[in-house]
Amino acid sequence: MILVILGASLEGSVHVLEAWLFCFPRFQEKAREGAQNVTVDEVIGAYKQACQKLNCRQIPKLLRQLQEFTDLGHRIDCLDLKGEKLDYKTCEALEEVFKRLQFRVVDLEQTNLDEDGASALFDMIEYYESATHLNISFNKHIGTRGWQAAAHMMRKTSCLQYLDARNTPLLDHSAPFVARALRIRSSLAVLHLENASLSGRPLMLLATALKMNVNLRELYLADNKLNGLQDSAQLGNLLKFNSSLQILDLRNNHVLDSGLAYICEGLKEQKKGLETLVLWNNQLTHTGMAFLGMTLPHTQSLETLNLGHNPIGNEGVRNLKNGLISNRSVLRLGLTSTKLTCEGAVAVAEFIAESPRLLRLDLRENEIKTGGLMALSLALKVNHSLLRLDLDREPKKEAVKSFIETQKALLAEIQNGCKQNFMLAREQEEKEQRLQLSASMPEITVTEPQPEEPGDEPATRAQENGASGPGARPDSDSDSDSEEEEEDDGEEEDGERAEAPCPALVPPSDSLGPGDRSPPGSPSSPTEQRISVSSPGRGHKVFVVTRVESPPERVEPLVPPAPPSPPAPARPPSPPALSSPPPSPALPPAEALCTQDPEVWEPQSGSPLPNGLKPEFALALPPEPPPGPEAKASSCGLEHELSCSKNEKELEELLLEASQESGQETL
């Protein structure tokens, strides 16, 4: 008996489950076929078959759109059902479309949805992720169950980013569902709730939930009859705790000056976040502008402030002026129809002259005449950021008729000033783009300079400064003279002292590195000898002096022991600072001078060098640098080292005498 009853109960449960799955097919296993395998004919056929099964009319507007769809592999731009009356059965037939296709925008505006139809559609959109932008505006009868399904859709659908519910009432018994969805999990970034009867408890629930929301960026609450007490206090608390909201639109409400005080308290806490605040037509006066003027210096993210259609007056603009000047974030300011006259325009002009970043200003529908236009024109002459200044096109009536022509001229001058600012801004933007483009080119690379000793710069820098390289014409010395005149006095004296012996200390052209040889196209002969002469000081310019002489006889390299050399002429004793120091371990002294030219002898302990210097002096010379640009500047490093010795006078005499003797020997 017990088994029979249990079997009957199980059988009944199975029948109930089958009936439930039959009534709600979208809760079965997800049956959406891959869009790449679906054709337009299949979608249209499935939709027509569903309409016949449910005995409902087909939507001609939908069929026309389905026939125009081409790319079914990605989200289609829009499914437009605006103005079509959708009852429950019509909505159920749409499941065959949502099962197979996905859209960016699904427009259900003014479709006369009831609770059953709205619930069915929202369940489909949530299950199949059919849309990223959904418009359900002007549907006043979706009821509590419809809003409950919409809240479930907002919480569960990760792809839904935009919801437009304008003129769709969100009443007290429906608001908790939406508030819970926005507080827990919601991917919505834009929410339109204009004229949704939010004043009172719905707004309190919504604002409380949005304090913890970090995804919503834009909130539109226009035409909700929000008052200046409880509703504004809730909005002020929302701004205190929510720093992710960027746009708050409160136009056409009853915020009043008292409500603006609450909102300003929240604005002071907005270190980052809110960028646009719209207070259009909220019965604000000069009293409210005093609160706002004290708040603006503390706002760091507010860029757009729209105060249009409020009776602010001239006094209100004066209260706002100091706050605007102290503010460093406002880029756009709307003062349309705010009861301004020339006096108020003068206050606005003072702000324009002081603002380095204002982009747009709207002063339409105000009684601004010749005096105010003149102040605005003068302000534009010192302002280079304002790109658009909106004024009434027709001049205002004046007692003096000639002033009307003056107004026209001033209006044209103001527009020309804005155009000039626009052209400057565009040129600056193009210049920055060119700089970014040039910086990103692969041919341009920035390399760090190699560390060098003072006074040992490469010769290529001298060529860039105008000095000639190897193989240059002799008349290039005139450029070097003009460059040397700019050097300091101390450097000039050092250069004069070290310039005489420099040719005798530099090896001939045969011993120069690859970078020091004359270019292939330069004329040369066997009787020419090129000697690199470098000047000390800034740049260390390298000059090439060509000396024509008969080729010397090739002398075989001497093999130790070397034959006794002829006695050297009398000369002053070498200074003690140049007594033979220990040779450098990196390079032997013999290689430090030259190993290729037979005219340069290897230093021996007792034999003098051809230029008359002692061999101990050669041991004190620095090692020869590697061939290349550094080889050209090696003599400069030697001259700098010699000029820094202790006994400069004795060294100068020694070098002069040695160079003269070597010159006589060559002659």
Side-chain angles (χ1 to χ4, degrees), residues 32 37 55 95 99 140 191 220 227 264 272 315 340-341 390 405 412 415 420 437 458-460 472 507 569 582 588 655:
R32 182 181 182 272
N37 299 326
N55 194 20
E95 184 174 5
K99 185 188 297 184
K140 299 182 178 181
L191 179 58
Y220 298 87
N227 57 52
C264 288
K272 62 176 182 178
E315 185 176 356
L340 297 184
T341 62
D390 294 318
E405 297 299 327
Q415 297 305 319
Q420 291 178 0
L437 180 62
T460 55
L655 295 178

Side-chain angles (χ1 to χ4, degrees), residues 447-469:
T447 58
E448 294 293 334
Q450 296 294 333
E452 300 176 354
E453 296 180 2
D456 197 13
E457 299 180 3
T460 55
R461 182 170 178 179
Q463 296 178 6
E464 294 177 359
N465 293 337
S468 60

Side-chain angles (χ1 to χ4, degrees), residues 358-360 380 383-389 413-431:
L358 185 66
L359 298 178
R360 182 181 177 184
L380 267 176
N383 180 285
H384 302 292
S385 65
L386 189 61
L387 305 180
R388 180 173 175 180
L389 178 55
E413 186 176 349
I414 290 172
Q415 297 305 319
N416 290 334
C418 293
K419 289 180 181 179
Q420 291 178 0
N421 290 345
F422 181 79
M423 296 298 294
L424 290 175
R426 187 168 63 178
E427 291 177 0
Q428 182 67 21
E429 183 178 359
E430 293 176 354
K431 181 179 179 181

Side-chain angles (χ1 to χ4, degrees), residues 3 22 25 77 105 119-120 136 162 220 223 225 296 340 345 358 425 518 540 597:
L3 293 176
F22 179 78
D77 289 336
V105 179
S119 300
I136 60 171
Y162 179 101
Y220 298 87
D223 301 291
K225 299 180 180 179
L296 285 175
L340 297 184
L358 185 66
S518 60
H540 296 286
D597 194 347

